[in-house]
């Protein structure tokens, strides 16, 4: 992939008037590839010349660490932003290996959940914080925690759309209905902009018949809401976080990296039709 500086930005010339596309990467199940998708998509979008911000909304701070930012040494994190103890510029940092900006998280964020309950417009805190930088980016990606908590609700209220990574396993569709119902409720009551951008099949192993069957079921059920790109199970993607580097940078020729580059291009095309 050429460096971002060498490639024209898709929205060049319009970027002052077009607000960022703000997307949650969400699925209430843990270990389904949300963080891997957030980090690699952010890095791939950056390499395609898109100005990208990654928001880590999970107290586990995996997206922060996977971006090469040590969550243990943060003096300011998204926690401070959400509860009003710091402004966006004080919290924002940059992923050195990935090239994109990051609002990092660590365990402090677990406390925010309790503190937010007593604040006014508690589900709109992230939306209000991001409004300050909506013109500075082409894409804002929000890595959500594995729950339908107040933190995830903040993500859903701040976003224009949801990207749902899912494994093609037997219970995947069942779990999806809870998330889809939550998205419908938020759309009806709190955020008329919210829509499902698409489902991304991840950790896919075509040799497993069941995965092929579930994949076909997902396609017939969700139609064009299913992304064409499919991310294979690939050990290089799993190794990259321990080096603090996005997989698409760690081994840019791996099958996993190529899938995330293809996904980024597909997403750039898809947003033009939104
Ligand atoms: P979540 O954020 O939904 O909890 P993660 O992105 O952290 O999920 O992924 C869970 C685990 O699976 C991690 O150890 C990650 O490295 C691994 N993983 C994610 N995607 C892939 C993939 N395509 N191939 C192999 N391992 C993967
Ligand atoms: Mg995660």
């Amino acid at each position: 992939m050429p460096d971002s500086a060498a490639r024209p930005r898709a929205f060049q010339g319009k970027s002052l008037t077009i607000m960022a596309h703000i997307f949650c990467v969400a699925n209430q199940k843990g270990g389904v590839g949300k963080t891997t998708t957030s980090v690699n998509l952010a890095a791939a979008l950056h390499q395609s010349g898109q100005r990208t911000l990654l928001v880590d909304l999970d107290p586990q701070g995996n997206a922060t660490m996977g971006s090469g930012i040590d969550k243990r040494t943060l003096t300011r994190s998204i926690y401070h932003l959400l509860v009003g103890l710091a402004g966006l510029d004080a919290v924002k940092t940059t992923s050195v290996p990935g090239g994109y900006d990051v609002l990092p998280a660590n365990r402090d964020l677990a406390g925010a959940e309790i503190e937010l309950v007593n604040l006014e417009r508690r589900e709109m805190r992230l939306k209000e914080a991001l409004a300050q930088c909506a013109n500075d980016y082409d894409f804002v990606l929000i890595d959500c925690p594995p729950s339908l908590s107040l933190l995830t609700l903040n993500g859903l209220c701040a976003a224009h759309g949801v990207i749902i990574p899912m494994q093609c396993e037997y219970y995947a569709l069942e779990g999806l209905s809870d998330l889809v119902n939550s998205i419908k409720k938020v759309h009806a009551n709190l955020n008329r902009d919210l829509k499902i951008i698409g489902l991304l099949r991840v950790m896919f192993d075509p040799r497993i018949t069941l995965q092929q069957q579930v994949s076909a079921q997902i396609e017939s059920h969700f139609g064009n809401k299913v992304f064409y790109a499919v991310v294979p199970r690939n050990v290089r993607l799993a190794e990259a976080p321990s080096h603090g580097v996005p997989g698409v940078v760690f081994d840019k020729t791996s099958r996993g990296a190529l899938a995330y580059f293809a996904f980024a291009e597909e997403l750039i095309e898809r947003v033009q039709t939104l």
Side-chain angles (χ1 to χ4, degrees):
M1 273 279 155
D3 191 72
S4 60
R7 293 184 58 172
R9 186 175 295 144
F11 304 118
Q12 210 157 33
K14 295 192 215 161
S15 52
L16 286 176
T17 48
I18 290 186
M19 297 239 301
H21 298 284
I22 305 178
F23 296 149
C24 279
V25 179
N27 189 322
Q28 80 278 19
K29 281 181 72 178
V32 294
K34 291 181 291 297
T35 300
T36 305
T37 296
S38 303
V39 166
N40 284 289
L41 180 60
L45 287 170
H46 169 76
Q47 290 192 28
S48 288
Q50 305 296 314
R51 300 165 306 164
T52 304
L53 173 70
L54 174 60
V55 180
D56 191 352
L57 205 53
D58 187 342
Q60 292 183 84
N62 292 344
T64 299
M65 296 294 278
S67 299
I69 298 156
D70 191 345
K71 65 180 178 184
R72 294 159 300 195
T73 59
L74 295 173
T75 52
R76 293 275 181 277
S77 70
I78 188 140
Y79 158 77
H80 297 88
L81 184 64
L82 291 177
V83 300
L85 289 173
L88 193 90
D89 286 337
V91 173
K92 193 174 71 181
T93 178
T94 299
S95 166
V96 173
Y100 49 86
D101 285 347
V102 181
L103 297 178
N106 59 22
R107 286 180 58 192
D108 290 346
L109 188 57
E113 193 96 34
I114 298 152
E115 289 175 51
L116 282 176
V117 169
N118 298 316
L119 297 180
E120 237 176 273
R121 290 171 62 76
R122 58 192 176 194
E123 69 284 343
M124 297 294 176
R125 306 292 294 192
L126 181 62
K127 182 187 172 86
E128 284 161 11
L130 290 180
Q132 301 167 47
C133 67
N135 289 330
D136 299 343
Y137 297 101
D138 299 309
F139 286 92
V140 176
L141 303 175
I142 305 169
D143 183 27
C144 289
S147 62
L148 296 171
S149 61
L150 185 51
L151 286 173
T152 299
L153 190 58
N154 262 269
L156 294 176
C157 286
H160 304 122
V162 188
I163 294 168
I164 306 174
M166 59 185 302
Q167 287 175 260
C168 293
E169 286 177 347
Y170 186 65
Y171 290 113
L173 280 170
E174 200 174 299
L176 210 56
S177 59
D178 291 336
L179 178 62
V180 171
N181 284 336
S182 298
I183 293 169
K184 280 185 185 156
K185 275 189 203 153
V186 173
H187 177 264
N189 299 307
L190 295 164
N191 179 5
R192 297 299 295 177
D193 290 341
L194 191 68
K195 52 174 106 46
I196 294 176
I197 304 299
L199 279 76
L200 177 68
R201 290 161 286 180
V202 298
M203 294 189 231
F204 189 70
D205 186 343
R207 292 166 304 182
I208 300 175
T209 311
L210 178 66
Q211 292 215 2
Q212 285 183 349
Q213 287 168 350
V214 174
S215 175
Q217 257 179 12
I218 291 169
E219 278 175 359
S220 68
H221 199 267
F222 289 94
N224 63 5
K225 284 284 181 200
V226 184
F227 289 109
Y228 185 72
V230 177
V231 180
R233 185 170 283 283
N234 179 247
V235 70
R236 303 298 271 165
L237 291 175
E239 288 168 352
S242 65
H243 300 267
V245 175
V248 295
V249 177
F250 181 63
D251 184 352
K252 61 181 193 235
T253 62
S254 65
R255 288 188 315 123
L258 295 178
Y260 276 114
F261 287 130
F263 177 45
E265 292 307 320
E266 185 179 356
L267 190 64
I268 291 167
E269 266 177 41
R270 192 170 282 211
V271 296
Q272 282 161 356
T273 66
L274 288 178

